[in-house]
């Protein structure tokens, strides 16, 4: 049981480059989210999705794009990387129905922008 | 806007000690509160989830409580072990929007042999 899988685990980008962080879940969860974790700031919500074709902005969305074409996948795109986007990125998924609504997290992608 | 605070930021205890980690939140209209463990350089592992209708949850040596009226949750760890050393995070969910977790900054726990 894979749960939430993020790729890559590590990435170094040059300023201005673009890349896509991949996130996939195999639990048939409707809800998926992206967070970034920075020292002294905790985890902050970037974008989220409540189902295929539906996305919305979180607390820190600038510089990031998302789309959700399938229930399983929720990629995060950096169009023009900046040093301020150096961070650890976590993808999460959760069940949208009634009952236990535990959030499950991937292992993270550590991104450095130089 | 929900704000979540965890005190203390760091805690060092000898092995075998019972300890309590604190989490406070400003908006009592929470749907659930979840405790996570994070090892250095790793992802988040869910420990316990307390729904708003519950007052506590237990898993092995861990017990989490929730008091919505006072805006507080505590994580009790019994008979601590060096393997418990990690950062512990709490996160609150407002309403049923469990795609939006509001996190505290965590408590770094060190259990010394």
């Amino acid at each position: 049981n894979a749960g939430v899988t993020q790729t890559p685990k590590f990435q170094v980008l040059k300023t201005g480059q673009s890349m896509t962080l991949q996130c996939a879940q195999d639990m048939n969860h409707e809800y998926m989210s992206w967070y970034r974790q920075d020292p002294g700031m905790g985890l902050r919500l970037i974008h989220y999705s409540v189902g295929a074709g539906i996305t919305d902005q979180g607390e820190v969305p600038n510089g990031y794009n998302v789309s959700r074409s399938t229930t399983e996948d929720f990629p995060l795109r950096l169009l023009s990387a900046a040093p301020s986007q150096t961070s650890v990125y976590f993808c999460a998924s959760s069940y949208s129905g009634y009952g236990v609504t535990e959030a499950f997290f991937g292992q993270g992608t550590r991104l450095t922008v130089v | 806007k929900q704000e979540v605070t965890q005190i203390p930021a760091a805690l060092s205890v000898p092995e075998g000690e019972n300890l309590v980690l604190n989490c406070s939140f400003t908006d009592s209209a929470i749907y659930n509160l979840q405790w996570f463990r994070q090892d250095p350089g790793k992802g988040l592992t869910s420990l316990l989830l307390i729904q708003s209708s519950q007052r506590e949850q237990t898993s092995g040596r861990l017990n989490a409580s929730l008091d919505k009226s006072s805006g507080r949750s505590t994580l009790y760890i019994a008979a601590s072990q060096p393997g418990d050393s990690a950062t512990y995070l709490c996160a609150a969910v407002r309403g049923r929007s469990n795609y939006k977790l509001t996190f505290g900054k965590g408590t770094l726990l060190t259990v010394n042999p």
Side-chain angles (χ1 to χ4, degrees):
Chain A
N1 45 343
V4 179
T5 302
Q6 292 183 236
T7 56
K9 289 186 170 52
F10 301 93
Q11 183 71 50
V12 178
L13 285 180
K14 293 183 179 178
T15 297
Q17 286 185 317
S18 63
M19 79 160 294
T20 299
L21 280 64
Q22 302 291 345
C23 175
Q25 53 92 8
D26 61 359
M27 297 173 281
N28 202 32
H29 286 166
E30 289 294 319
Y31 294 167
M32 295 186 75
S33 307
W34 277 102
Y35 296 83
R36 60 178 288 173
Q37 184 176 36
D38 302 292
M41 299 295 293
L43 280 92
R44 294 178 291 169
L45 181 65
I46 304 172
H47 284 287
Y48 63 91
S49 170
V50 297
I54 307 170
T55 64
D56 206 346
Q57 298 180 349
E59 182 183 354
V60 287
N62 292 341
Y64 308 95
N65 279 352
V66 293
S67 61
R68 183 107 177 263
S69 56
T70 67
T71 299
E72 294 78 20
D73 301 298
F74 190 42
L76 179 72
R77 280 182 284 277
L78 284 70
L79 298 180
S80 179
S84 61
Q85 294 178 304
T86 294
S87 187
V88 182
Y89 292 85
F90 289 101
C91 178
S93 74
S94 56
Y95 177 55
S96 60
Y98 288 93
V100 176
T101 55
E102 184 178 5
F104 296 86
F105 281 75
Q107 289 301 298
T109 294
R110 188 173 297 271
L111 176 68
T112 301
V113 182
V114 298
Chain B
K1 177 186 173 187
Q2 177 75 277
E3 292 184 3
V4 178
T5 303
Q6 291 187 247
I7 295 174
L11 180 65
S12 180
V13 301
E15 181 177 3
E17 190 163 299
N18 301 326
L19 59 100
V20 174
L21 306 180
N22 296 295
C23 172
S24 62
F25 46 91
T26 56
D27 186 348
S28 62
I30 65 170
Y31 185 67
N32 67 47
L33 189 135
Q34 197 166 353
W35 282 92
F36 295 88
R37 169 186 173 136
Q38 185 176 29
D39 293 290
K42 302 295 185 182
L44 279 68
T45 301
S46 179
L47 297 174
L48 289 165
L49 179 144
I50 311 176
Q51 294 184 280
S52 60
S53 57
Q54 300 171 317
R55 290 194 63 84
E56 65 177 59
Q57 280 283 351
T58 297
S59 176
R61 295 183 293 109
L62 304 179
N63 176 277
S65 68
L66 176 64
D67 184 344
K68 287 179 58 179
S69 62
S70 66
R72 293 180 60 186
S73 177
T74 61
L75 179 66
Y76 174 83
I77 302 177
S80 59
Q81 303 170 358
D84 294 330
S85 298
T87 296
Y88 290 81
L89 298 161
C90 68
V93 173
R94 192 178 187 280
R96 290 198 65 249
S97 56
N98 54 313
Y99 43 83
K100 289 186 185 179
L101 276 67
T102 301
F103 281 86
K105 294 180 181 179
T107 294
L108 175 61
L109 173 66
T110 303
V111 181
N112 301 300

